Amino acid sequence: MAVKLYIEAIHDAILEEMRRDERVFVLGEDVGVRGGVFRVTAGLIEEFGEQRVIDTPLAESAIVGVGIGAALHGMVPIAEIQFADFILPAMNQIISEAAKMRYRSRNDWGVPMVIRAPYGGGVHGALYHSQSVEALFHHVPGLKIVAPSTPYDVKGLLKAAIRDPDPVLFFEHKRCYRLIKGDVPEEEYVLPIGKADVKREGTDITVITYGLMVHLCMDAAEQLAKEGIDVHILDLRTVLPLDREGIIDAVKKTGKVLIVHEDNKTGGVGAEVSAIIAEEALFELDAPIARLCGPDVPAMPYSPPMEKFYMLNSEKIAAAMRKLAEF
Amino acid sequence: MSTYTHEQLGLTKEQLLQMFYYMVLARTIDERLWLLNRAGKIPFVVSCQGQEAAQVGAAFALQPETDYILPYYRDMGVVLVFGQTARDMMLSSFAKAEDPAGGGRQMPGHFSSRKHHIISGSSPVSTQIPHAVGVALAGKMRREPMVAYTSFGEGSSNQGDFHEACNFAGVHKLPVIFFCENNQYAISVPVIKQLGCEHVADRAAGYGFPGVIVDGNDVLEVYKVVKEAADRARRGEGPTLIEAKTYRLAPHSSDDDDRSYRSREEVEEAKKKDPLVIFRRYLVDNGLLSDTEEGAIREKIAKEVNDATEYAEKAPYAAPEDALTFVYAD
């Protein structure tokens, strides 16, 4: 088993899928000659040419809309939105078109397409290079939304997304790209969309999270282990559809739940997770459901002290874990 | 009428009578839909009246077996030429289970049929234009000799998606035809308040391909320019923007009252240029349509529309729980 960076695992997934299936192609701003501003698609244009690795005009709605059209005519596009913050001009194409195509045509047409977007903060990206936008799409049936945390997961889930017959939004935490390393098997594997994963077994409190926060929660859990508090960590991996069974099983493990996400609190994915628990596992709870999220401000400021204030870290998470454990 | 004769365009009498048939069929279905709406039998109509020459002329210049169409909500003439029937239109208007566009999920005018190469459209305007570019891109990648045709109104040419799609297609020289049916009104807003330039076709220059203006009341002229655009696309020379100057003879939809924004005199004046009247005159003047032939065509259409109405009215709705299906493929 090789140790790979998160970003390498994404690159490898795209490369292998393009080699496996000639219908798969990449389009987006700077994805070709430059290999992506984060270098995710580096080297692909050399192997597959500019017909299959398309540097598009700067126009997000067209990147998604043209991708939809290509998907409708037998291709499997992987569209890159350079930063998740810039996906908003394409929102009408994603919500009105990609998400509804199968439904409105009663299964006559479908959109097998992946829309990749780096999201999240802690990279001095200020308001418009730091946002978590998954909740904006979480409300939309017809979409699938994946936000993996490890190189192993990101590779297996991106392959699943590419092979999925429906549109998948694939959010990659940009802080994970070169920070997170992990084992990735040499051999081919695909992971199921819609299945959460237990990242740490524990008996005292349950933490439900996803993305970069998984790693901060793991660090916090190690701190708490020294204090004799045993934390169970569930990584959602897919935020739409949520793994209801996985969530309830994780709640049953400890009866105390903390939900952690970087996105702001109001109307976030954590709100839906809380509602699932309240509806289906209320009597498993030994404490009120707790949420630790980004503050309800428009986005993350640029100044380092303000950015640090906005971002969650393992100390803040450890404090929230401790408080819940003591309840 | 046309500065070109049908012989110059390589069209036979048989083809001309087919075009006439489709134009009259579209008009007759449309008129029946208004009656059904005013009788309270169907909730909604969006009309093609006045635009039949633009639609049938354009569709006739394409190849339904290889080309793909991404029509807008008035394009009944286009989808009929591509193989849909009066029954399909009625099933959609009555929102019955057999409606090929989606089993009664969408309002009428949201045409769709994979079998007929008609890609499903939505109601926010212009969203289909980038899809057409994507279909053309896929066709080019798959080395198919195909053309993607998409149509829209002049109001829709103000949307970002129109401009983003045109630019993308221009950069990549894709086999796509952007066909604007300029019927002078975006619901109530006249073209003078819609466009900063004089013609929609003027916009093509900014994207590096030809913009062509054509008389949308003249089915042969429309056929000619769309045929040229399709040939150009198939030769790998890229997109064309065509602006057909038309006039919408009916209100925007069955929920609109056009008396609030345009005079009856203006509408009556436009009726003098009714494309059906113009084309019929061409056919009669050139000895291509006898009274007997016309009678036979109109009788055939009346029967088709009557049968379709009766069939669709009696057809079952989808089960209510069908509303829960096909959110995803699995």
Side-chain angles (χ1 to χ4, degrees):
Chain A
M1 201 149 355
V3 174
K4 295 265 187 183
L5 287 171
Y6 186 90
I7 195 168
E8 291 172 325
I10 298 168
H11 172 272
D12 293 353
I14 297 171
L15 177 75
E16 289 172 24
E17 289 301 292
M18 288 182 78
R19 284 180 182 161
R20 180 187 65 82
D21 183 348
E22 63 177 19
R23 299 173 309 152
V24 179
F25 74 102
V26 170
L27 75 165
E29 294 155 18
D30 305 299
V31 298
V33 177
R34 170 70 186 144
V37 292
F38 290 101
R39 314 288 292 143
V40 171
T41 51
L44 296 181
I45 198 167
E46 283 79 4
E47 178 167 344
F48 301 105
E50 60 181 23
Q51 295 284 318
R52 284 181 73 194
V53 185
I54 301 174
D55 273 325
T56 65
L58 198 169
E60 283 80 11
S61 189
I63 291 169
V64 174
V66 171
I68 290 170
L72 291 169
H73 194 44
M75 301 300 288
V76 180
I78 306 173
E80 181 178 294
I81 300 295
Q82 201 158 68
F83 287 85
D85 314 66
F86 307 157
I87 206 168
L88 301 183
M91 224 156 155
N92 190 41
Q93 282 292 342
I94 296 169
I95 293 176
S96 294
E97 305 300 317
K100 293 180 176 60
M101 185 66 76
R102 186 178 302 285
Y103 186 77
R104 76 190 189 206
S105 68
R106 209 183 173 280
N107 208 33
D108 207 22
W109 295 102
V111 181
M113 174 180 190
V114 181
I115 301 164
R116 295 181 38 246
Y119 78 107
V123 294
H124 311 300
L127 280 77
Y128 300 105
H129 299 77
S130 301
Q131 291 171 71
S132 300
V133 298
E134 60 274 18
L136 298 178
F137 298 97
H138 181 67
H139 188 63
V140 182
L143 295 180
K144 296 179 182 179
I145 306 174
V146 181
S149 64
T150 67
Y152 175 79
D153 288 351
V154 84
K155 186 173 179 192
L157 283 163
L158 183 51
K159 285 189 168 230
I162 293 166
R163 298 177 193 191
D164 198 281
D166 290 306
V168 180
L169 290 182
F170 201 87
F171 289 121
E172 301 157 6
H173 200 293
K174 62 179 87 72
R175 183 99 175 90
C176 288
Y177 275 155
R178 294 178 193 280
L179 179 71
I180 305 301
K181 284 182 192 155
D183 288 334
V184 177
E186 304 288 348
E187 63 274 13
E188 158 94 13
Y189 69 98
V190 178
L191 297 172
I193 291 172
K195 292 296 284 181
D197 182 52
V198 176
K199 287 289 192 283
R200 189 182 198 283
E201 290 280 354
T203 53
D204 294 326
I205 63 165
T206 295
V207 175
I208 300 175
T209 185
Y210 58 94
L212 175 69
M213 295 301 116
V214 171
H215 303 286
L216 303 185
C217 290
M218 293 291 280
D219 290 347
E222 289 309 308
Q223 290 177 43
L224 265 73
K226 291 173 196 152
E227 301 165 23
I229 300 168
D230 193 12
V231 181
H232 187 82
I233 297 179
L234 184 74
D235 178 359
L236 290 171
R237 299 198 295 194
T238 300
V239 298
L240 186 70
L242 283 167
D243 180 358
R244 300 173 81 90
E245 207 176 318
I247 290 167
I248 290 159
D249 287 349
V251 171
K252 285 181 182 169
K253 281 271 181 183
T254 71
K256 290 182 172 182
V257 183
L258 171 68
I259 300 162
V260 179
H261 58 61
E262 182 178 324
D263 194 4
N264 51 290
K265 189 172 183 176
T266 301
V269 170
E272 186 63 28
V273 173
S274 303
I276 289 171
I277 297 167
E279 282 175 346
E280 299 187 29
L282 182 67
F283 300 108
E284 304 289 340
L285 291 176
D286 295 323
I289 298 166
R291 283 188 285 163
L292 182 67
C293 310
D296 283 330
V297 298
M300 204 171 290
Y302 187 48
S303 109
M306 280 198 283
E307 184 189 72
K308 195 173 172 200
F309 175 83
Y310 182 111
M311 278 296 283
L312 299 180
N313 56 39
S314 54
E315 285 72 35
K316 291 180 196 175
I317 294 169
M321 287 175 171
R322 221 174 268 124
K323 189 176 163 200
L324 181 64
E326 287 163 3
F327 183 87
Chain B
M1 188 64 194
S2 180
T3 46
Y4 294 85
T5 65
H6 63 279
E7 288 99 342
Q8 284 170 310
L9 299 173
L11 289 166
T12 63
K13 175 185 169 181
E14 203 170 39
Q15 286 172 304
L16 295 183
L17 293 185
Q18 278 264 302
M19 291 165 114
F20 184 66
Y21 160 79
Y22 282 114
M23 287 169 65
V24 177
L25 178 63
R27 176 70 58 91
T28 309
I29 295 169
D30 199 294
E31 288 172 345
R32 174 64 55 84
L33 293 175
W34 283 91
L35 281 176
L36 291 167
N37 175 262
R38 294 315 189 220
K41 291 193 169 185
I42 60 171
F44 184 73
V45 182
V46 62
S47 187
C48 71
Q49 290 184 38
Q51 298 178 215
E52 296 92 341
Q55 295 170 2
V56 170
F60 244 82
L62 302 170
Q63 298 173 357
E65 59 287 355
T66 49
D67 297 341
Y68 281 77
I69 55 172
L70 298 94
Y72 89 126
Y73 49 83
R74 294 194 197 285
D75 261 345
M76 186 149 61
V78 176
V79 300
L80 289 172
V81 173
F82 262 64
Q84 293 210 290
T85 61
R87 184 183 280 193
D88 294 333
M89 299 301 108
M90 287 296 167
L91 284 164
S92 162
S93 291
F94 279 95
K96 295 301 177 71
E98 274 185 82
D99 157 36
R105 292 176 181 213
Q106 292 230 70
M107 289 173 118
H110 294 65
F111 310 105
S112 175
S113 167
R114 182 183 272 274
K115 185 172 76 174
H116 292 110
H117 290 197
I118 302 165
I119 290 182
S120 164
S122 65
S123 304
V125 297
S126 304
T127 54
Q128 79 280 16
I129 308 176
H131 301 173
V133 175
V135 170
L137 176 69
K140 187 178 176 184
M141 290 167 108
R142 294 163 51 157
R143 296 189 179 80
E144 293 170 358
M146 60 86 76
V147 172
Y149 162 94
T150 185
S151 52
F152 45 88
E154 76 287 352
S156 300
S157 78
N158 300 314
Q159 287 279 9
D161 269 353
F162 166 81
H163 295 278
E164 293 193 14
C166 283
N167 187 53
F168 197 113
V171 168
H172 288 275
K173 286 201 180 314
L174 296 175
V176 57
I177 297 171
F178 302 106
F179 189 78
C180 177
E181 297 177 34
N182 180 350
N183 66 17
Q184 312 303 324
Y185 290 91
I187 303 191
S188 69
V189 183
V191 71
I192 192 78
K193 290 184 180 172
Q194 287 284 341
L195 304 180
C197 51
E198 193 179 352
H199 304 290
V200 174
D202 296 342
R203 295 177 159 173
Y207 304 115
F209 50 81
V212 180
I213 295 171
V214 64
D215 177 359
N217 292 323
D218 185 332
V219 67
L220 296 183
E221 289 281 343
V222 173
Y223 171 84
K224 176 181 174 285
V225 297
V226 176
K227 182 76 168 50
E228 282 169 0
D231 290 346
R232 206 178 107 75
R234 279 186 234 283
R235 287 194 304 267
E237 292 169 24
T240 306
L241 170 63
I242 297 167
E243 178 183 9
K245 303 281 192 187
T246 66
Y247 193 86
R248 156 164 60 77
L249 295 174
H252 165 70
S253 76
S254 50
D255 296 332
D256 177 38
D257 181 356
D258 63 327
R259 287 173 300 186
S260 62
Y261 56 83
R262 60 184 185 183
S263 70
R264 293 306 86 191
E265 292 73 33
E266 181 187 307
V267 178
E268 286 311 311
E269 196 57 32
K271 281 183 180 168
K272 291 178 187 163
K273 295 180 199 158
D274 183 331
L276 264 68
V277 174
I278 291 175
F279 190 39
R280 183 182 171 278
R281 193 181 306 137
Y282 176 88
L283 294 173
V284 171
D285 289 354
N286 287 278
L288 297 159
L289 183 70
S290 66
D291 287 350
T292 320
E293 282 167 320
E294 184 175 3
I297 289 170
R298 289 191 186 271
E299 198 177 322
K300 178 175 186 300
I301 287 171
K303 184 171 178 347
E304 278 177 20
V305 176
N306 286 339
D307 288 352
T309 308
E310 193 181 339
Y311 183 89
E313 194 169 5
K314 286 182 184 160
Y317 287 113
E321 303 75 26
D322 190 66
L324 300 176
T325 61
F326 301 120
V327 178
Y328 298 102
D330 44 24

